[in-house]
Amino acid sequence: LALPLLAAALAGRRTFTRIGAGEPHQPAERLDIIGVAVLSVLAGSVITLLQARAVGLSAAVTFAVAVAGALAVLGLWWRVRHAPEGFVPRRVIAARGFLPAGLIGGTIFAGYYGVLFLAPSLIEHATGGGPLEAGALLVPAAACSVLAGRLVSAATDRFAGWQVTAGLAALTTVGVLVVAVFHGPLPVVVGAALTVCGFAGAQAVLVGLAPQLVAHPDRDTTQGLLNFMIFLGGGIGPAAVAGLSGVVSVPVTLAMLAALPLAGLVLSVTRHPGDGRRPEPDEARASQL
């Protein structure tokens, strides 16, 4: 679906240039179509390869997707080096805390969407009911997002950003393991509720760290790239679960999935993204040089 949008963006390049002007006296820059393309191909190839076996892709198609992904990695590296002001600005991805923040969010979303992918079928199997019953049982888990949003909002006023993300990653890890270890509809609902809490707060907290990671002119770009990394993790979670189906049992699949938000917890504790230090304008100009 993204590829036709690239053609539309190319056709409306002048419009995007005017929109991208930002500040009144800031010169407009042309939309970096190449940067958009390599990033889109990279994301699509990663998710496709993870579930190539589950969806029955032939060896030839799988190889072609792998080659496309490898070329996208090289293309992204080349583009960042030769177009540092492009769609993926070098100063943004090189900012202290940016990559850890994106990876933490991606791992939390991977845990949530991985559980969400399996939860309905697990409930149906445990109760013998259909999709309607499974959806009804998962309503309380979904409702937890409202409570989690309020709690996370209060927590961000009392704790540093990395401490909040560490707690959200821990909740997600525990939620995935609850679904993996215990059987029956109730553990699935409880585990899903815990992952919902992680999901509900992670995006808001991590995207909200942008002002602490980069200077003011780069905040919108940073938030967009953080969202990209976070939702790419959300796609990787169910793709990995689908790819492991039939290879290992469901508990083992979920245990392996839990390793992702656990890695996010470790990153939060060790890297402290968004420690409250905001880059000054002079620092931002120096980083561009």
Side-chain angles (χ1 to χ4, degrees), residues 42-270:
L42 175 59
S45 60
V46 169
I47 294 175
T48 302
L49 287 174
L50 285 172
Q51 52 187 334
R53 178 184 176 277
V55 299
L57 290 184
S58 64
V61 174
T62 302
F63 178 76
V65 172
V67 170
L71 291 176
V73 171
L74 294 176
L76 183 61
W77 173 81
W78 175 85
R79 197 62 182 169
V80 170
R81 283 181 58 87
H82 292 84
E85 301 293 327
F87 189 73
V88 184
R90 185 190 303 177
R91 64 180 178 274
V92 170
I93 63 175
R96 180 179 180 271
F98 170 80
L99 288 178
L103 291 172
I104 291 166
T107 59
I108 293 174
F109 269 46
Y112 164 70
Y113 279 108
V115 168
L116 187 65
F117 178 75
L118 281 177
S121 61
L122 293 176
I123 292 177
E124 288 179 33
H125 179 74
T127 62
L132 183 60
E133 291 84 348
L137 287 174
L138 285 171
V139 168
C144 288
S145 62
V146 179
L147 177 61
R150 294 179 179 272
L151 293 177
V152 168
S153 177
T156 53
D157 295 332
R158 299 185 57 185
F159 301 98
W162 68 268
Q163 293 173 317
V164 178
T165 59
L168 295 172
L171 278 178
T172 306
T173 303
V174 172
V176 177
L177 290 176
V178 166
V179 180
V181 174
F182 300 99
H183 303 285
L186 182 59
V188 174
V189 173
V190 171
L194 292 175
T195 63
V196 165
C197 292
F199 161 80
Q203 184 187 13
V205 173
L206 290 167
V207 174
L209 291 180
Q212 300 178 21
L213 301 176
V214 297
H216 178 74
D218 293 322
R219 290 179 188 175
D220 291 341
T221 300
T222 303
Q223 289 175 336
L225 290 174
L226 283 175
N227 270 317
F228 171 82
M229 295 181 67
I230 291 171
F231 280 98
L232 176 59
I236 287 174
V241 169
L244 290 170
S245 63
V247 179
V248 294
S249 65
V250 171
V252 174
T253 296
L254 287 169
M256 296 174 68
L257 178 68
L260 293 177
L262 180 60
L265 171 60
V266 173
L267 278 173
S268 294
V269 173
T270 58

